[in-house]
Amino acid sequence: MQTIYDGMWRSFVSAMEEGNYVLDPWLSKLEEDDRRGITALAYLAPHSSSLTRNIGEFLRCVRELEPSQYYHPVSELHITLLSIISCVSGFRLDDIDSQAYIDIFLDVVKQHQQPIEIEFSGITASPSCLLIQGFTQGEGLDQLRQTLRERYQSSGLRSSIDSRYKIATAHSSCVRFCQPLKNPLALLSLCKKWRTTYFGSMKLNEIELVFNNWYQNLSITQVLAKQSIDKQIY
């Protein structure tokens, strides 16, 4: 995972130094954004209040420098386990048999026996956003992702799993660029100070299957299913 995060960081540094960062055009017209998808995810807040409190402090520091950017509310910070149907314009729940997706999700998660613990240490970034680095402890997350991937891909149900890239990290996006940066070099300097900061850890015990928009806004997200991993395994 660190290799992936380091590659992203180098792209971010170059973007800040050269001024070729990327703005998200949809964030200025969210009401027009009809991109929707199906995702298996876990929110950070229910698992660790200290973790989200520490991330919130980082966001506060960034906001002082760049108040006009898009900041994910702490309650919406999450890690994506698997994007089953990537967000596409016009997609609706009526387009699929949602119960079939729910049944697979519940069956897989109920049978999962490996603990999932994630440590959040340091930040990375891309030319368009800032992220908190997550590092899985053990093989639990990889195994759950692979089982979900195999079950959905063999089911005959509509999916776009791995169509953009094969997810391999446990990061949480926290800031997206939507307005010209006031001072890219000052932002870079701040991010360097937080580059190796330890934010905390969480043991994953509840996973959700949701119908969501691109930014996982809770006001739009529809929970299709929730399933706990047997807490006794911890």
Side-chain angles (χ1 to χ4, degrees), residues 104 107-108 111 146-155:
I104 290 176
D107 186 53
V108 170
Q111 294 187 51
Q146 187 59 27
T147 304
L148 285 168
R149 179 181 285 112
E150 291 172 355
R151 286 289 301 277
Y152 280 113
Q153 288 180 329
S154 65
S155 69

Side-chain angles (χ1 to χ4, degrees), residues 131-155:
L131 308 91
I132 308 299
Q133 296 181 153
F135 299 90
T136 56
Q137 309 302 299
E139 302 298 321
L141 180 59
D142 288 341
Q143 290 179 5
L144 180 57
R145 277 177 169 160
Q146 187 59 27
T147 304
L148 285 168
R149 179 181 285 112
E150 291 172 355
R151 286 289 301 277
Y152 280 113
Q153 288 180 329
S154 65
S155 69

Side-chain angles (χ1 to χ4, degrees), residues 122-133:
I123 67 160
T124 190
S126 75
S128 64
C129 64
L130 307 182
L131 308 91
I132 308 299
Q133 296 181 153

Side-chain angles (χ1 to χ4, degrees), residues 31-175:
E31 68 282 353
E32 300 176 21
D33 186 2
D34 67 345
R35 294 173 297 170
R36 301 290 186 270
I38 301 289
T39 307
L41 57 73
Y43 291 101
L44 274 56
H47 292 91
S48 175
S49 58
S50 61
L51 168 62
T52 51
R53 183 168 58 249
N54 292 337
I55 295 174
E57 178 60 19
F58 168 64
L59 298 182
R60 184 190 66 78
C61 293
V62 177
R63 196 188 296 268
E64 288 184 354
L65 286 179
E66 296 290 343
S68 299
Q69 306 311 318
Y70 178 84
Y71 293 83
H72 285 269
V74 169
S75 60
E76 295 178 359
L77 294 174
H78 65 278
I79 63 165
T80 297
L81 276 73
L82 194 66
S83 177
I84 297 160
I85 298 179
S86 297
C87 286
V88 292
S89 178
F91 172 61
R92 302 179 304 168
L93 270 181
D94 291 344
D95 296 337
I96 60 171
D97 177 2
S98 58
Q99 189 59 51
Y101 289 80
I102 292 170
D103 290 343
I104 290 176
F105 171 81
L106 292 177
D107 186 53
V108 170
V109 179
K110 285 178 181 177
Q111 294 187 51
H112 184 73
Q113 294 297 310
Q114 294 297 317
I116 299 175
E117 183 170 358
I118 302 169
E119 289 191 348
F120 292 89
S121 181
I123 67 160
T124 190
S126 75
S128 64
C129 64
L130 307 182
L131 308 91
I132 308 299
Q133 296 181 153
F135 299 90
T136 56
Q137 309 302 299
E139 302 298 321
L141 180 59
D142 288 341
Q143 290 179 5
L144 180 57
R145 277 177 169 160
Q146 187 59 27
T147 304
L148 285 168
R149 179 181 285 112
E150 291 172 355
R151 286 289 301 277
Y152 280 113
Q153 288 180 329
S154 65
S155 69
L157 297 173
R158 171 180 173 178
S159 73
S160 54
I161 296 170
D162 301 334
S163 61
R164 295 175 59 228
Y165 57 86
K166 186 172 182 178
I167 189 167
T169 65
H171 68 271
S172 183
S173 301
C174 58
V175 183

Side-chain angles (χ1 to χ4, degrees), residues 162-204:
D162 301 334
S163 61
R164 295 175 59 228
Y165 57 86
K166 186 172 182 178
I167 189 167
T169 65
H171 68 271
S172 183
S173 301
C174 58
V175 183
R176 297 179 186 271
F177 305 146
C178 59
Q179 299 291 334
L181 295 174
K182 287 178 171 293
N183 192 330
L185 293 181
L187 177 61
L188 175 59
S189 178
L190 175 67
C191 289
K192 285 180 178 179
K193 293 178 181 179
W194 288 81
R195 177 77 172 115
T196 58
T197 299
Y198 180 76
F199 291 94
S201 65
M202 71 177 191
K203 290 181 177 179
L204 205 59

Side-chain angles (χ1 to χ4, degrees), residues 5-46:
Y5 291 143
D6 288 348
M8 296 176 67
W9 176 258
R10 288 191 292 271
S11 296
F12 169 68
V13 171
S14 176
M16 294 300 103
E17 291 177 342
E18 299 175 12
N20 57 358
Y21 54 86
V22 179
L23 302 181
D24 186 331
W26 283 106
L27 287 170
S28 61
K29 48 183 179 180
L30 279 174
E31 68 282 353
E32 300 176 21
D33 186 2
D34 67 345
R35 294 173 297 170
R36 301 290 186 270
I38 301 289
T39 307
L41 57 73
Y43 291 101
L44 274 56

